[in-house]
Amino acid sequence: MAAVASDVEKLSILQAAVAGLGQISENEKSGFIGLVSRYLSGDVEHLEWSKIQTPTDEIVVPYESLTPPSEDLEATRKILDKLAVLKLNGGLGTTMGCTGPKSVIEVRNGYTFLDLIVIQIEALNKKYGCNVPLLLMNSFNTHDDTLKIVEKYASSNIEIHTFNQSQYPRLVIDDFLPLPSKAEKGKEGWYPPGHGDVFPSLVNSGKLEALLSKGKEYIFIANSDNLGAIVDIKILNHLIHNENGYCMEVTPKTLADVKGGTLISYEGRVQLLEIAQVPDEHVNEFKSIEKFKIFNTNNLWANLKAIKRLVEADALKMEIIPNPKEVDGIKVLQLETAAGAAIRFFDNAIGVNVPRSRFLPVKATSDLLLVQSDLYTLADGFLVRNKARTNSANPSIELGPEFKKVASFLARFKSIPSIVELDSLKVSGDVWFGTGIVLKGKVVITASPGEKLEIPNDSVIENKEIESHHDI
């Protein structure tokens, strides 16, 4: 029993230390302690592999089988007036070499992610005469900047609400104490505990109650960097008519998505299966496109009353994702949860198998190349795919580290090449692109170390490997 006692001691010492942290609310303190105590008790659901079943079409509904929405504008307005949209806005643009929230990176035609989101909802509200509000869930990393940024939308026809997700202290692994109570590390002492925190934060901020009081019934949650995540009336209509508590949009896996979480049927309930939960001997099976054909886009829909009920009952015990980090040489632990894992706690939860067009995330400059190219045009803030491209999959693009930061990426392309007929592009080394370039088929461009390789204006490159200007 000694081990158990030491965990109990650990927790009570931690609880006393957390009680003294004046920077966070009582709700945050109890949420954090609850998460740590679940982690210490080894509260992990062990899945029996043999019981995992592929979900039926009743559980993961094909998008094509959804009833088309009514042509009647008034009927559609009534449905849309039950909806609020929430974008997860806690991430910084640091991996792409930008300061501030990731959602203010310019994506296309000078518009940022946030601009496009606002334009989309404005167009919806204008077309149907509805009032769909936009909520932005920030982290302490993005909150102040976002407040300044949303001022520019003051004259738009949409209500914009911002709130903060929880702020939890990083745990020092050595002695299991909160980093902020040991050393003044400023923001480095804290972390936002993953997007699973969206549900308690909606309740704790008072935003959920405010939405219910305005007659809202459903919330559509998506990452702010997924340009495909627009309001879909067909999905909303289905959820309202079938009284679904929760819906996860999934889409068919390609070889690029083999690590993505998938939906399974397990003991009569639908749930998310992440690669981290898969026993080593089954990882290859998990990655196979044959058995697990779909993955989670993180476009999620949930019933507001169901969220309220589950949060108040403290029933959302999503799988804990331990995320070890290092701060100034101190090994720390962050415990996080994911919003998709909440699916198994909601009644009448479903997946909808949506077209790939609803999953267009921009995680790196290679994605920026796709969305800025002639593969897409912009209409009402939404990226419409070019019909001239016959292949339903996007080209695979690999850009070397020289292109990692947005500023370097923009400097190295005088204009974005035409890629409608491109299958794959791999660029490495000190490569610079002129204007009016057309890339087709499989293209590999490699500059030798220490060499600068410039691709001239108006070059047409098809199925070629280029290592010097003589190859063009």
Side-chain angles (χ1 to χ4, degrees):
M1 290 298 289
V4 179
S6 75
D7 280 351
V8 171
E9 282 165 17
K10 264 185 186 176
L11 200 61
S12 83
I13 293 166
L14 178 65
Q15 212 158 355
V18 169
L21 296 172
Q23 303 94 319
I24 54 175
S25 68
E26 291 307 314
N27 278 333
E28 286 168 312
K29 289 174 187 176
S30 64
F32 174 67
I33 293 295
L35 195 59
V36 175
S37 85
R38 277 209 298 134
Y39 172 72
L40 285 175
S41 69
D43 176 16
V44 178
E45 198 210 12
H46 292 288
L47 295 174
E48 278 186 52
W49 196 258
S50 58
K51 288 185 180 176
I52 291 175
Q53 292 178 313
T54 303
T56 62
D57 282 0
E58 282 76 55
I59 293 177
V60 176
V61 183
Y63 183 79
E64 304 69 48
S65 75
L66 299 178
T67 313
S70 161
E71 294 292 309
D72 177 25
L73 287 182
E74 179 57 20
T76 304
R77 180 187 69 76
K78 280 184 178 158
I79 287 173
L80 284 168
D81 271 336
K82 296 179 177 184
L83 180 70
V85 172
L86 186 152
K87 297 288 179 173
L88 302 168
N89 191 50
L92 293 167
T94 37
T95 50
M96 292 171 75
C98 298
T99 53
K102 186 177 179 185
S103 57
V104 299
I105 293 175
E106 285 189 9
V107 184
R108 191 172 170 122
N109 303 13
Y111 293 118
T112 65
F113 288 106
L114 216 43
D115 293 339
L116 294 178
I117 290 162
V118 169
I119 293 165
Q120 287 162 14
I121 299 177
E122 270 189 321
L124 196 69
N125 285 345
K126 189 175 172 190
K127 179 175 178 180
Y128 294 103
C130 53
N131 179 20
V132 175
L134 170 64
L135 287 83
L136 299 172
M137 183 170 85
N138 304 319
S139 66
F140 60 87
N141 287 315
T142 60
H143 181 66
D144 294 346
D145 287 338
T146 302
L147 286 185
K148 291 190 197 94
I149 290 153
V150 296
E151 285 172 8
K152 75 179 198 181
Y153 308 120
S155 60
S156 71
N157 70 351
I158 65 171
E159 280 179 41
I160 301 178
H161 304 273
T162 61
F163 68 101
N164 259 7
Q165 78 169 107
S166 304
Q167 174 174 334
Y168 286 175
R170 285 176 161 158
L171 267 177
V172 178
I173 290 173
D174 275 352
D175 55 12
F176 226 66
L177 284 171
L179 183 57
S181 64
K182 297 190 61 171
E184 186 41 67
K185 296 286 179 195
K187 281 187 176 178
E188 288 292 303
W190 305 88
Y191 75 99
H195 45 59
D197 182 55
V198 65
F199 305 114
S201 293
L202 262 174
V203 174
N204 294 338
S205 63
K207 297 298 179 193
L208 191 132
E209 204 52 59
L211 291 172
L212 286 172
S213 71
K214 289 183 176 172
K216 304 299 175 193
E217 292 178 20
Y218 278 88
I219 193 154
F220 173 44
I221 302 168
N223 296 352
S224 60
D225 64 4
N226 178 7
L227 295 171
I230 61 163
V231 169
D232 189 293
I233 298 163
K234 220 160 106 166
I235 295 175
L236 177 62
N237 185 47
H238 182 89
L239 301 181
I240 290 170
H241 282 289
N242 293 279
E243 297 184 354
N244 299 109
Y246 184 107
C247 167
M248 175 188 288
E249 293 184 35
V250 293
T251 197
K253 266 188 196 180
T254 67
L255 289 170
D257 318 302
V258 291
K259 291 183 179 173
T262 192
L263 282 183
I264 56 168
S265 288
Y266 192 78
E267 297 185 329
R269 287 187 89 82
V270 60
Q271 68 182 69
L272 182 67
L273 176 65
E274 296 275 16
I275 194 162
Q277 295 164 270
V278 177
D280 291 349
E281 66 270 24
H282 294 293
V283 165
N284 285 341
E285 195 182 340
F286 176 83
K287 288 181 173 180
S288 86
I289 298 180
E290 280 70 50
K291 180 165 182 179
F292 299 103
K293 296 183 167 71
I294 52 173
F295 76 99
N296 169 24
T297 63
N298 219 38
N299 298 348
L300 311 167
W301 304 71
N303 178 284
L304 291 166
K305 283 183 180 162
I307 294 174
K308 183 182 177 186
R309 191 172 63 247
L310 288 164
V311 169
E312 287 176 352
D314 196 20
L316 293 173
K317 311 255 187 241
M318 281 92 88
E319 289 73 15
I320 295 171
I321 306 155
N323 187 356
K325 300 253 177 184
E326 203 166 292
V327 179
D328 297 336
I330 304 168
K331 288 189 167 55
V332 295
L333 185 63
Q334 301 183 176
L335 301 177
E336 302 173 11
T337 61
I343 190 166
R344 67 190 173 99
F345 301 103
F346 285 80
D347 292 332
N348 207 2
I350 58 166
V352 173
N353 194 347
V354 297
R356 184 76 184 198
S357 59
R358 293 189 57 74
F359 184 65
L360 189 58
V362 178
K363 302 289 182 196
T365 51
S366 51
D367 301 319
L368 219 42
L369 176 59
L370 288 174
V371 301
Q372 292 186 356
S373 74
D374 56 352
L375 270 182
Y376 294 95
T377 50
L378 207 51
D380 284 340
F382 180 56
L383 290 176
V384 182
R385 205 154 181 273
N386 189 338
K387 288 191 169 59
R389 181 164 178 91
T390 47
N391 184 343
S392 62
N394 275 344
S396 109
I397 293 178
E398 273 183 68
L399 301 175
E402 296 79 5
F403 292 81
K404 188 179 180 191
K405 295 185 171 177
V406 174
S408 323
F409 164 83
L410 293 172
R412 286 174 180 274
F413 285 101
K414 274 192 186 162
S415 72
I416 300 294
S418 164
I419 59 171
V420 174
E421 294 178 55
L422 180 70
D423 294 322
S424 64
L425 171 67
K426 186 172 184 181
V427 182
S428 32
D430 187 12
V431 180
W432 300 75
F433 291 81
T435 58
I437 293 166
V438 179
L439 303 174
K440 299 180 181 187
K442 292 185 174 177
V443 177
V444 178
I445 302 172
T446 311
S448 308
E451 297 289 318
K452 179 178 182 179
L453 180 52
E454 296 188 27
I455 310 298
N457 296 350
D458 305 317
S459 305
V460 177
I461 302 171
E462 184 168 5
N463 290 321
K464 267 190 179 173
E465 290 197 19
I466 290 168
E467 292 181 349
S468 76
H469 62 275
H470 301 299
D471 299 330
I472 299 166

